[in-house]
Amino acid sequence: MTQAGTSTQAPERLPEEPASGAETQGTETQGKQTQHAQAPVLNNAVPVRHPGRWISGFVILGLVALMLQSMVTNPNFRWDIVGTYIMDVKVVQGVGWTLLLTVASMAIAVVLAILLAVMRQSDNPIFRWSSWLWVWFFRGTPVYTQLVFWGLLAVLYPKISAGVPFGPELFNLSTSSVITPIAAAILGLALNESAYLAEIFRAGLKSVDKGQTEAAEALGMSDGKIMWRIILPQAMRIIVPPTGNETIGMLKTTSLVLAVPFTLDLTFATNALANRTYQPIPLLIVAAIWYLVITSLLMVGQHYLEAYYGKGVDAGQAAVAVNPAAARAAAAVAAPASILPKEESR
Amino acid sequence: MTAIAEKPLVRIEGLHKYYGQHHVLRGIDLTVKQGEVSVVIGPSGSGKSTMLRCINMLETVSAGRISVDGELIGYREVNGRLHDLKKKDIAAQRRDIGMVFQRFNLFPHKTALQNVMEAPVQVKRKGKDFARSQALELLDRVGLGERANHYPAQLSGGQQQRVAIARALAMEPGLMLFDEPTSALDPELVGDVLNVMKDLAKSGMTMIVVTHEIGFAREVGDTLTFMDGGVVVESGDPREIIANPKEARTREFLSRVL
């Protein structure tokens, strides 16, 4: 039987003997009888019973039911107010600003983090040292303090000018026109985050086997190409999950931009409405619902990023899903003997 | 065997290597002629891999010189003084030297085909179509044409190593270095890799092969070098040395591996 030979060579996702009926359908005329004659009597053992699972399931269901009941019957939740404000213009705009703050500051932070992580392992001692110092400073001071500082930058330096030291001035701008509240908020969040992300990226880069660099070097690739095409894509597999974590963290840290002060984000918007209506609880619920919705969307994005960077490494399924060519090749392996790869006929 | 030119392709003279205080290579001399298959054997820790890695600058040289095709590796000489080459120039020298590693070191995020195409496209700036057909041809040559779209994790060790050989050949090197290419393989997979290497030797490729496969040395090798303790103990015709080792240390080593 050549088919037995194929299934040993095929990727692990292919089922072994018992489930192989689907595969053999194409050649059933001669395949079926022998297959059935050989089919073993399955053990069909009685599985271990788990009464604890049922008991804990009932207890938790009961608690959830109680909570739901209280949420419905307790008038203090004021679901009517939640309903009124969930799509309020101010709230939806707040969602937009919060998203913008999150995406913009994470984008800047990721670029800075790659740079910092690469600098940290550079041959150039100046780069290594500056990267270390950056991480030390921005990780070592509270993000709230940094946000206040960026908001006060115009007080510290009323004008931004550049020129040759002790020589002529090239340009001169008023600080408050460049560092607007949104710019201060994004900068403050991004620079702080870059320090944390730099450590995540450094860990990711270190996780890639040294043999990868050597193989690429032996092929004559330049350092830049080795980093960008060989090391970083593999490091991303390690980097994406904690970075997703950081992004979700960032989503909620944006509520601190009040320190700048920047006053359009979701938390500020719902707080302002709560203060106006004297209804803090329903508006907190409004904010919580929106944060949950955005977090869920981010998690979907993270799932796809992980699948993309896990190709070739994580379980066969994901790899095949991402690379249609690999899927076709895998199908070819599973197919009947006519298109067997040559080396197996040896 | 194919004709071996008189012209030396690789010349290693007085090669020393220190790791801190540890003196790993203690004056190695080795000449490999164009088209020659030079097999290097020796116990682990004898420095044979280190010597091989010096040839393409994966290790820096502490003392001595290596030249490939008349070109000094890793340095340029100005008024009798050696200057380190820039990374860019080292990379350029490496392009003509293929290397196959014990642990394969395929790029796991790329398919077999993409692994083979990577360097021709990214380093030699070949067109993708050209590189693809060249890569498919090479994969066919190592018996893996049907596996072109598999990721390394979907291939056996022997298949991975053959892809690694194809990947090195895609740069059309004038010299191939093999660093224990079969040591990480299950015994039944060793043969496929050795067969590919035999074909390569027959095609006239200059090869330096660090290995424990004495059979390969006897069958394919043009010269055999036995290293121990960072020095070359004995060197010469493989069949002669294997049948009739002159040095006691060679005899002792061979008696343990044969």
Side-chain angles (χ1 to χ4, degrees), chain B residues 160-178:
Chain B
Q160 287 189 53
Q161 191 62 298
R162 284 183 280 153
V163 173
I165 293 173
R167 178 177 69 176
L169 290 176
M171 287 297 282
E172 296 165 330
L175 168 69
M176 285 284 286
L177 309 176
F178 291 86

Side-chain angles (χ1 to χ4, degrees), chain B residues 3-18:
Chain B
I4 299 170
E6 273 314 294
K7 187 178 127 206
L9 184 72
V10 182
R11 193 193 285 276
I12 301 176
E13 292 165 304
L15 175 62
H16 286 260
K17 172 71 186 175
Y18 290 90

Side-chain angles (χ1 to χ4, degrees), chain B residues 33-90:
Chain B
K33 299 195 189 87
Q34 187 98 47
E36 181 179 330
V37 177
S38 176
V39 180
V40 182
I41 58 169
S44 37
S46 60
K48 52 195 193 307
S49 284
T50 307
M51 179 202 67
L52 198 71
R53 291 163 58 86
C54 285
I55 298 174
N56 68 352
M57 287 297 284
L58 286 182
E59 304 287 345
T60 54
V61 170
S62 304
R65 287 167 191 229
I66 300 172
S67 61
V68 175
D69 208 6
E71 191 181 340
L72 188 60
I73 293 289
Y75 303 102
R76 70 201 152 83
E77 195 167 10
V78 182
N79 299 328
R81 194 141 189 216
L82 294 179
H83 295 251
D84 286 333
L85 281 184
K86 287 185 187 156
K87 285 198 152 178
K88 188 169 66 97
D89 301 319
I90 292 175

